[in-house]
Amino acid sequence: MHDLLLIGKFPQLAQDMIDTEFRCHSLEDVNGNEALRTSVRGIITRSNCVVPPEVVASLPSLGIIATCGVGYDLIPLELAARRGVTVTNTPEVLNDAVAELCVGLLFALLRRIPQGDRFVRSGAWRQGAFPLAVSLAGKRVGIVGLGRIGKEVARRLEPFGVTLAYFGRADQHLAWRFEPDLRRLARDSDVLILCAPGGRATEHLVDAAVLDALGPNGYLVNIARGSVVHEDELIGALARGAIAGAALDVFDGEPDIDPRFFDLDNVVLAPHVGSATVETRQAMTRLALDNLHRFFDEGHALTPVKAAVAA
Ligand code: 8YV
């Protein structure tokens, strides 16, 4: 049974799967045992955990970093590539779960479902009706990053009678309109949905200028990464009504998010649960474990991250 360095805390169902197939060690265990440190060939982690470069550099036998998740923005890819370390993620198996959460957050945002729940629980209903919200039907939806998850979001929203357009690296020549200018997409959208990968290339892609273009009747949904939005400018836009509202599953510094969010009534907050279903996390863990087995047994992985794409 191979030894792995475990970085991050997994749901118990995932950890149980891992423990039946590999011996997991903490960073403290590895650093305190020279034989283990020099023999560990694999790291297993989660996409919302930082894999420190100094840890990657400290493991002479390291051959693979397998993350449970599609994002790899917290893994030092360039260092891994220089050292010939394979990095793997778990694409595809979580598309449905993340897209479903996105649709759920969008309806929660537009129809103010969390606020309605609080309204009933507070007894305020006795004093009058809950305020009117807005419909999704007929709205213009702009998707930022039409990758695998972005396409699943678009497919789920189309039956609701929306008009879809997207922004990304290139025109994919699909039925939906490609908009090469993000501010123009925001200007021409009622809802802007962020599905782009995290990392340097997308950091603060959505800033005050984009939010101003989205406008006071516009809504933002972020299921990507907190880093894709300039969070301070988002909070300012929400506070002054420069946009109508936002639904966020990802944040800077999560789980310790900016407390200013808690005072905003026009924001729906979710604890990075896009892929957090039993079925999906089982599938993600299975794929990460299969990547490790395939690498150790045959020298190559099933779903390696292509560093060129990540650059
Ligand atoms: C979480 C995600 O990271 O897949 C990703 O990139 O953001 C989510 O699936 C999940 O907690 C990974 O274990």
Side-chain angles (χ1 to χ4, degrees):
M1 184 182 276
H2 291 283
D3 293 301
L4 298 178
L5 169 58
L6 174 74
I7 296 179
K9 180 158 176 50
F10 284 76
Q12 196 55 50
L13 70 87
Q15 192 61 57
D16 291 345
M17 290 172 67
I18 298 166
D19 290 342
T20 61
E21 301 180 28
F22 292 97
R23 263 190 309 272
C24 287
H25 303 275
S26 68
L27 187 55
E28 184 182 12
D29 293 345
V30 170
N31 285 338
N33 179 328
E34 187 60 12
L36 185 59
R37 186 183 67 78
T38 55
S39 66
V40 163
R41 295 178 59 207
I43 292 175
I44 189 165
T45 187
R46 297 185 57 185
S47 292
N48 53 354
C49 296
V50 173
V51 176
E54 61 273 16
V55 171
V56 174
S58 72
L59 302 174
S61 304
L62 184 64
I64 180 172
I65 301 171
T67 189
C68 273
V70 68
Y72 41 80
D73 47 302
L74 300 179
I75 296 173
L77 279 187
E78 292 82 359
L79 171 60
R82 284 199 304 274
R83 287 206 50 207
V85 173
T86 295
V87 176
T88 67
N89 64 344
T90 59
E92 302 293 6
V93 295
L94 46 60
N95 295 355
D96 291 337
V98 177
E100 288 169 0
L101 183 86
C102 181
V103 174
L105 285 176
L106 178 55
F107 278 112
L109 178 61
L110 296 183
R111 302 301 297 271
R112 295 174 53 80
I113 295 172
Q115 293 88 337
D117 178 278
R118 293 194 291 269
F119 181 84
V120 177
R121 294 174 191 270
S122 72
W125 196 4
R126 298 186 189 91
Q127 280 69 49
F130 187 67
L132 297 181
V134 297
S135 298
L136 176 61
K139 292 298 187 293
R140 301 164 299 167
V141 176
I143 294 181
V144 179
L146 197 74
R148 295 172 285 236
I149 292 174
K151 289 186 177 74
E152 287 303 327
V153 169
R155 290 185 188 112
R156 282 163 174 75
L157 292 181
E158 212 159 27
F160 287 102
V162 301
T163 305
L164 287 157
Y166 66 98
F167 166 84
R169 282 190 291 239
D171 187 345
Q172 300 181 43
H173 304 293
L174 302 169
W176 307 312
R177 178 171 66 85
F178 172 63
E179 173 50 74
D181 182 299
L182 178 53
R183 288 186 199 177
R184 199 157 51 220
L185 178 69
R187 183 199 66 193
D188 299 341
S189 298
D190 303 301
V191 177
L192 200 62
I193 298 178
L194 311 187
C195 302
R200 282 196 301 269
T202 60
E203 189 170 12
H204 295 175
L205 189 63
V206 175
D207 58 10
V210 173
L211 295 168
D212 287 342
L214 182 57
N217 296 314
Y219 294 86
L220 181 80
V221 178
N222 190 1
I223 56 161
R225 282 290 185 273
S227 61
V228 175
V229 184
H230 191 300
E231 200 164 87
D232 190 59
E233 294 181 357
L234 170 61
I235 291 170
L238 288 164
R240 68 175 181 273
I243 63 171
L248 310 170
D249 188 41
V250 286
F251 306 85
D252 283 344
E254 61 186 64
D256 301 318
I257 74 170
D258 192 314
R260 290 178 291 171
F261 279 120
F262 305 149
D263 300 326
L264 295 169
D265 183 56
N266 56 351
V267 66
V268 175
L269 305 173
H272 199 160
V273 287
S275 66
T277 70
V278 171
E279 304 88 342
T280 304
R281 288 295 170 80
Q282 286 174 329
M284 291 160 65
T285 306
R286 183 66 268 149
L287 180 49
L289 294 173
D290 290 346
N291 270 310
L292 288 160
H293 286 302
R294 180 64 65 91
F295 179 83
F296 291 141
D297 296 346
E298 301 179 22
H300 60 85
L302 294 168
T303 55
V305 166
K306 295 170 178 57
V309 172

